[in-house]
Amino acid sequence: MASTQLLILFSSLVLFQLTLPTITSAEPEKKIDVVVEGMVYCQHCEHSGSWSLSEAKPIPAANISVICKNYKDQVSYYKVFETDGNGYFYAQLEGFTMSQCLVEHPLQSCHVKPVSSPLKDCNLLTNINYGLYGSPLRFEGKKLYGSNYEAVIYAAGPLAFRPDHCPPPTHV
């Protein structure tokens, strides 16, 4: 009995010694960030009522929100981001963690919505790219790599607001 216990102890020590170099030399786990990028425009009156962004102008300082829901359909991430001077947003989802659950992957669980426009003459929401309900994310193969860092970049939109003084669209 004692010899069996001694044999188990000796085997455990040998196995531990063999695995020790791999444990201590293991690289730190890479951090994977999720980023969403896109554009926000002011739709030209001529194209009101359509999804066309012909002649549209970018909106600087527009606000968009990124909303992610978990498998229970509860909001698990929400943050508002502002576009730069060219109407471009780069939303780094700090604190967002990807679950092993496919339903909670950013492509399935996250959407982008326009929130507000600083332009007094272009501040009505449109449903271009499903902006009213949440524009889905697209993976376009973009990634950034660094030491112990990887960012997966998703695209959304483009999103748009429209002027309130546009005549109603005429359908032929």
Side-chain angles (χ1 to χ4, degrees), residues 30-31 145-150:
K30 268 196 170 184
K31 180 182 175 196
Y145 296 99
S147 60
N148 301 325
Y149 175 85
E150 181 180 329

Side-chain angles (χ1 to χ4, degrees), residues 21-35:
T22 59
I23 292 172
T24 57
S25 68
E27 291 183 28
E29 195 172 313
K30 268 196 170 184
K31 180 182 175 196
I32 299 177
D33 278 343
V34 175
V35 174

Side-chain angles (χ1 to χ4, degrees), residues 38-43 53 59 63-65 89 112-115 126-132 134-135 156-161:
M39 294 287 295
V40 178
Y41 293 96
C42 178
Q43 184 182 38
L53 288 173
I59 302 177
N63 287 323
I64 58 98
S65 64
F89 63 87
V112 179
K113 291 184 178 184
V115 174
T126 70
N127 198 33
I128 292 175
N129 290 312
Y130 304 104
L132 293 177
S135 180
L159 303 169
F161 291 87

Side-chain angles (χ1 to χ4, degrees), residues 39-165:
M39 294 287 295
V40 178
Y41 293 96
C42 178
Q43 184 182 38
H44 193 276
C45 275
E46 190 173 305
H47 303 288
S48 180
S50 73
W51 277 26
S52 174
L53 288 173
S54 293
E55 303 176 66
K57 305 263 189 279
I59 302 177
N63 287 323
I64 58 98
S65 64
V66 177
I67 304 135
C68 303
K69 293 186 176 183
N70 63 20
Y71 70 96
K72 295 179 182 178
D73 204 32
Q74 299 167 327
V75 174
S76 59
Y77 185 88
Y78 177 87
K79 189 168 180 183
V80 174
F81 297 90
E82 188 174 287
T83 61
D84 67 10
N86 298 315
Y88 170 78
F89 63 87
Y90 184 88
Q92 191 166 350
L93 308 188
E94 297 276 340
F96 178 83
T97 53
M98 280 200 258
S99 153
Q100 296 299 322
C101 179
L102 183 62
V103 183
E104 293 184 6
H105 188 280
L107 286 173
Q108 301 298 323
S109 68
C110 298
H111 295 84
V112 179
K113 291 184 178 184
V115 174
S116 64
S117 167
L119 305 177
K120 299 279 188 240
D121 63 340
C122 190
N123 57 10
L124 293 181
L125 296 172
T126 70
N127 198 33
I128 292 175
N129 290 312
Y130 304 104
L132 293 177
Y133 305 100
S135 180
L137 305 186
R138 300 180 310 277
F139 180 65
E140 297 178 339
K142 292 171 90 176
K143 290 185 179 184
L144 289 175
Y145 296 99
S147 60
N148 301 325
Y149 175 85
E150 181 180 329
V152 181
I153 302 172
Y154 297 96
L159 303 169
F161 291 87
R162 70 174 179 85
D164 61 357
H165 62 275

